[in-house]
Amino acid sequence: MPKPLNVLVVAEESAGIRVLRALAGGGHRVTAVVTSDSARGPASSVRDAARQMGYDTWPAGDVKDPSFGDRIRSADVDILLNVHSLYVLSEEVVSAPRIGSFNLHPGPLPRYAGLNAPSWAVYRGEAMHGVTVHRMNGGIDAGPIVFQSTFAISDRDTGLSVALRCVTEGVPLLLRLLEIAATAPEDIPQRPQDLGEREYFGKGVPQNGVVDWSRSAREVWDFVRACDYAPFVSPWGCPRTTSDGREVGILKLTRTGEPCAVPSGSIRANSGSGMLVACADKWVEVTKIVLDGRVLSPVGVLQPGSRLHVGDG
């Protein structure tokens, strides 16, 4: 018979809530949930969800403190699951659980290590993405791979939809990990990463968060949809441009496929609800903008015949 595990969950965001729901009634004991005080965006926080399920909650910042490892050992934690933590865990914390600590990373390692992998994949026009469960060690997203799942990215995807797909694909991987850990922890797969293929992404936002209309329509479209996490707060913010000296956020746009032969950034009226803007090769239709904190139609704001600032800063 598998032995129920004492599981410490370090989690944030909707991914953390999904993992807690998957663990509920699954036979394992959640020792505690290490999380922050509140959520970003309209969703309930992991803290609220954990308390509704009857779990103890511990402060998220504790994972940075080496002495927190003593608390983990005294609680007889068998395994730690790290799901979108806000902090880098201390090495003493990572090594404290009896079986080990494991991270759910929203990207295919080793190619997409670091932050905001779903957005980077959309920005770069990737056709495939993935999610990885790996054993944690002293490096960031560098430990041996336990399980990995890949999936296609479509032209309809945004940063948010790819991030959510990572959770959908990733939660079953964590459950598989627990199943093996409960019966034969020595059989947990551990495939070393080829760090020669590793690429690490930090906190920076591509193009300084500014739409560069001198790029192709495809590149502009990829950037805008990579930033799209509506109705949640985007980790990259809203892509910015400048119109008649005013900063305007480009919230939604679509490709038209229509070639253009005017300077990049030129604005043209459209028969629909949006406004056309010229990129290096084709027109795109801007359908939703942000001005002074308000979400608006671009009609009446972007003036036909004028030109948006071209460049990345």
Side-chain angles (χ1 to χ4, degrees):
M1 290 290 293
K3 177 186 175 182
L5 299 173
N6 291 330
V7 183
L8 182 65
V9 181
V10 181
E12 303 291 345
E13 303 175 349
S14 62
I17 296 175
R18 289 277 295 275
V19 169
L20 292 181
R21 289 174 177 165
L23 290 175
H28 300 295
R29 175 178 175 267
V30 175
T31 303
V33 179
V34 184
T35 189
S36 58
D37 289 332
S38 60
R40 292 181 293 177
S44 64
S45 68
V46 173
R47 192 180 195 87
D48 292 341
R51 288 178 173 175
Q52 289 169 7
M53 296 179 193
Y55 300 141
D56 289 338
T57 57
W58 297 349
D62 286 358
V63 298
K64 300 183 297 180
D65 184 353
S67 66
F68 187 55
D70 294 332
R71 185 174 187 182
I72 292 173
R73 282 185 287 270
S74 66
D76 294 324
V77 171
D78 294 306
I79 194 167
L80 182 153
L81 302 181
N82 187 58
V83 183
H84 297 193
S85 173
L86 298 176
Y87 303 104
V88 176
L89 279 62
S90 162
E91 290 187 34
E92 289 79 0
V93 170
V94 168
S95 62
R98 179 179 63 86
I99 296 172
S101 297
F102 299 84
N103 182 48
L104 179 64
H105 178 71
L109 294 175
R111 290 186 55 241
Y112 275 87
L115 303 176
N116 304 319
S119 288
W120 279 108
V122 175
Y123 174 74
R124 295 169 118 194
E126 296 279 13
M128 299 292 296
H129 194 58
V131 59
T132 307
V133 172
H134 69 93
R135 183 182 286 272
M136 301 177 73
N137 59 15
I140 298 176
D141 300 333
I145 293 172
V146 176
F147 296 120
Q148 194 167 74
S149 176
T150 58
F151 54 87
I153 298 178
S154 77
D155 283 351
R156 298 183 300 274
D157 276 313
T158 63
L160 176 63
S161 68
V162 174
L164 292 176
R165 182 69 183 276
C166 286
V167 178
T168 299
E169 297 280 338
V171 170
L173 302 185
L174 290 180
L175 296 181
R176 284 173 60 191
L177 165 65
L178 293 178
E179 181 180 355
I180 296 174
T183 54
E186 66 278 7
D187 291 339
I188 294 173
Q190 296 192 78
R191 174 167 57 88
Q193 294 188 44
D194 180 357
L195 298 183
E197 296 184 1
R198 174 181 169 91
E199 189 167 1
Y200 182 85
F201 297 89
K203 293 181 180 180
V205 180
Q207 302 170 206
N208 298 314
V210 175
V211 181
D212 184 357
W213 303 104
S214 67
R215 299 194 179 199
S216 70
R218 172 76 198 216
E219 290 173 306
V220 170
W221 179 65
D222 284 342
F223 178 43
V224 171
R225 68 192 182 105
C227 295
D228 187 353
Y229 275 70
F232 302 97
V233 176
S234 170
W236 283 355
C238 184
R240 309 184 312 277
T241 190
T242 303
S243 173
D244 296 326
R246 297 182 298 176
E247 185 174 275
V248 176
I250 304 297
L251 199 58
K252 298 279 187 181
L253 61 74
T254 60
R255 292 182 296 169
T256 68
E258 179 186 351
C260 59
V262 296
S264 299
S266 297
I267 300 171
R268 195 182 89 190
N270 187 38
S271 58
S273 58
M275 298 293 289
L276 298 178
V277 180
C279 299
D281 55 350
K282 298 176 182 178
W283 294 94
V284 293
E285 182 184 18
V286 177
T287 57
K288 193 176 293 185
I289 64 171
V290 177
L291 181 64
D292 299 328
R294 295 181 299 157
V295 177
L296 303 170
S297 164
V299 178
V301 178
L302 304 184
Q303 298 299 320
S306 63
R307 189 181 177 199
L308 299 175
H309 176 77
V310 174
D312 63 355

